[in-house]
Amino acid sequence: SGMQAVLDAYNRRMVFWSGDDFSVPFIQTLWSLNLEGAPQWTPILPTSPMPGRIHYAAVYDALHRRLVIFGGEDDTFAITDSVEWIGF
């Protein structure tokens, strides 16, 4: 599927990336859910364009404070690259 969530413990939030909803063009949204106090959803504007994809893996690199996405598929073929966003 197209949704992944990672824990950003430093900022006390969960970060969710939606790579696709099986429509074209792929939707690509990045959101955070505050884990302190009342839960609050906040959209995140990434520092670089986000490629649409499904069936991918995502991890949070706490040392460098970045989200890393690997592999998956786009609307034409399998993807074997990795993409990272720093400073979101």
Side-chain angles (χ1 to χ4, degrees), residues 5-72:
V6 295
L7 175 64
D8 176 359
Y10 180 82
N11 291 305
R12 295 180 177 92
R13 64 184 180 171
M14 290 291 296
V15 176
F16 296 84
W17 182 57
S18 174
D20 181 36
D21 71 349
F22 296 100
S23 64
V24 176
F26 285 164
I27 62 167
Q28 304 148 50
T29 57
L30 192 60
W31 288 83
S32 71
L33 176 62
N34 180 15
L35 299 177
E36 284 190 342
Q40 180 178 353
W41 288 99
T42 305
I44 300 172
L45 300 175
T47 56
S48 61
M50 299 166 51
R53 59 181 71 198
I54 59 173
H55 305 126
Y56 56 89
V59 296
Y60 185 71
D61 176 359
L63 181 63
H64 298 103
R65 298 182 60 201
R66 64 184 178 178
L67 176 66
V68 179
I69 305 292
F70 176 78

